[in-house]
Every structure is written in structure tokens, then in C-alpha cells.
């Protein structure tokens, strides 16, 4: 497989995952706004920060207003992180690598782009927002289902999976990084209304609320949430799960090409940092520092994966 094809598949999956992640964060911000009498500017600023576009937003807007933030995150064509922008890029990458994809995958990506392009032609009214966000998640799920159900388990599938997993791990880590202060002991009473809503927002942002409550009924506390999102390999959006799967995909590439690249060792070292620590150890050493270190290492791995497989060009 040519390096440019591998890169296209890698970024196709990253952009699709990013669109879904952004929709989940907007939904979490929307739910938080409904629970607070105040406008919740800090919460929307935290959503923009998590997505990675707060600076771009402030360059264009003086204040962080809910409607303006939602529009910027969903449909602003000048924002490269908006759902509109990343879905367009996903479709462009799918078209460039069309011969490597099954008809079902291509049609799912193309149909998703057409549906969302039409839905995001105009600003989204607050009453329509839940439906639009659900549609973004649904379109991403349709592509994921087509990939799982129709693609050969070969290098094409592996590159696609690695892109999605690295993006997913980055998103979960960013959610924790922006919200880490909520996970640490504060003067606010544990179990208060605001306290519970903030914790729930963290879980909803990672699509982890129901799974967490299944495993931790009646035991909602900061350490349990951090452990679930970082170390629980049963949780599909946890850092541990993502890296277990990344290692598996890289191993399959090593077998297929008969060559072990630097990205394989880099991923193994990063996974070791996860599996070799307890949540008590992470919190003691500094949750914020651990997360920032992970985000940096995860980005380095993404760059190394692309670099490693350009040599097939």
C-alpha cells in the first residue's frame, strides 16, 4: 500500500472520530447549560478548549455566548475543527482513497457528508440541537459499522483503526485535562447538585456515563471516574483500551510487512506507562501532569506512525 493511501485512511478515521467527539462535547455543554441559571460562559469556554479552538474562537468573537459557541463548533467553515470542516475533510480523504475502501464504506462517508452539509446550512436552533448532534453521532457510527462489517482485516483496516484510536485517546485525555480540577478534592461539598452535574458532564463527554454507573452504582467519586477513563481496558474510550487496540493493530502491520518500525516501540512504551501505574499513583504524582504528558506522547506517536509508513511511497 502506498504511503499516501495509508495517510489518507489514517486521517479519514481521525476526522470521523473528531466529528463525533465534538458532537458529544457540544451535547455535554448543552446539558450543563440547561442545569444552570447562569449562561455558563466558563463551561462553553471549557468545551472550546477541549476541542482545541478557544483561541480561534476568541480571535473572531469577543465573548463566549452559547449560541455563538455552538455555531462555531458545528458549522463555522473558518474553524478547521468544526463538525462541518472535519466531515468535509473526512469525505475528501475517503474520495482520495476510494479504491482502498469497500463500496459500503465510501457510501456511508459520502452520505454522511451530504446529510450533515444540508443540516448545517443554517444556524441550528436550540430546539433542533439534540437531533442534529444525534445525527452527527449516527453518521459516524454508520461508517464505523461499514468498516467493521465489510473491510478485509488487512493493512487498510489496521491504518483506519489506528487513526480512530489515537484520535479517541486524545479526546478522552483532553476531557480529563480540561476538567481535572473537578476530579480533585475541593471545598465544594461532595454530592452537591453542581458537583454531581460536573462529574456527569465528564462521563457524558466520553460517552461513558451508563457504563460507569453499571460498574460503580452508588460510588460516584473523582478517583473512580479517573480510573475508569484512564485505566479500565473494558471501556472503549479509555486510554488503556485505545492503546491495547493500537498495539494490536501495529502488531498486525508488523506481521503483514515483516518489518518493525519505531512507532511500534513508541506505542509499547506509552502503553507501559498506562498499565504500569495505579490510579492512586497517578493522582499522587499529579493527574494534570500525567495527562499532559500522555497528550504529548500520543501526538508524537501519531506523527511517527505517518512517518514510518511513508517509506512505502
Amino acid at each position: 500500500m502506498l504511503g499516501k493511501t495509508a495517510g489518507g485512511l489514517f486521517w479519514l478515521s481521525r476526522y470521523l472520530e473528531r466529528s463525533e467527539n465534538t458532537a458529544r462535547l457540544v451535547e455535554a455543554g448543552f446539558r450543563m447549560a440547561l442545569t444552570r441559571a447562569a449562561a455558563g460562559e466558563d463551561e462553553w469556554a471549557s468545551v472550546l478548549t477541549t476541542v482545541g479552538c478557544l483561541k480561534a474562537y476568541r480571535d473572531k468573537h469577543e465573548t463566549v455566548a452559547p449560541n455563538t459557541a455552538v455555531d462555531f463548533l458545528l458549522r463555522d467553515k473558518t474553524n478547521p475543527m468544526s463538525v462541518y470542516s472535519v466531515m468535509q475533510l473526512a469525505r475528501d480523504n475517503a474520495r482520495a482513497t476510494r479504491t482502498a475502501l469497500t463500496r459500503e464504506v465510501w457510501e456511508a462517508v459520502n452520505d454522511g457528508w451530504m446529510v450533515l452539509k444540508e443540516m448545517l446550512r443554517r444556524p441550528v436552533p436550540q430546539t433542533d440541537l439534540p437531533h442534529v448532534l444525534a445525527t452527527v453521532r449516527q453518521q459516524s457510527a454508520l461508517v464505523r459499522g461499514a468498516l467493521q462489517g465489510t473491510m478485509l482485516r488487512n493493512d487498510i483496516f489496521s491504518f483506519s483503526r489506528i487513526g480512530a484510536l489515537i484520535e479517541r485517546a486524545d479526546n478522552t485525555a483532553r476531557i480529563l485535562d480540561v476538567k481535572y480540577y473537578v476530579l480533585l478534592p475541593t471545598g465544594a461539598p461532595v454530592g452537591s447538585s453542581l458537583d454531581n452535574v460536573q462529574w456527569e458532564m465528564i462521563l457524558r463527554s466520553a460517552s461513558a456515563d451508563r457504563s460507569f454507573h453499571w460498574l460503580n452504582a452508588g460510588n460516584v467519586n473523582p478517583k473512580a471516574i479517573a480510573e475508569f477513563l484512564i485505566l479500565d481496558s473494558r471501556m472503549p474510550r479509555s486510554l488503556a483500551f485505545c492503546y491495547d487496540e493500537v498495539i494490536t493493530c501495529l502488531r498486525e502491520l508488523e506481521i503483514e510487512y515483516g518489518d518493525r518500525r519505531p512507532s511500534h516501540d513508541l506505542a509499547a512504551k506509552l502503553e507501559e506507562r498506562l498499565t504500569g501505574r495505579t490510579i492512586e499513583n497517578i493522582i499522587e504524582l499529579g493527574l494534570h501532569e500525567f495527562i499532559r504528558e500522555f497528550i504529548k506522547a500520543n501526538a508524537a506517536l501519531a506523527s511517527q506512525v505517518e512517518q514510518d509508513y511513508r517509506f512505502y511511497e
Side-chain angles (χ1 to χ4, degrees), residues 28 31 39 71 84 88 99 125-126 136 159 214 221 250 258 273 297 302:
R31 287 177 178 273
D71 194 73
Y84 183 97
Q88 184 175 42
T99 56
Q126 189 176 92
V136 175
F159 277 112
W214 277 339
N221 63 75
L250 287 171
R273 295 182 199 173

Side-chain angles (χ1 to χ4, degrees), residues 38-39 87 138 214 287 289:
M87 280 301 297
Q138 182 183 50
W214 277 339
L287 180 61
E289 289 72 17

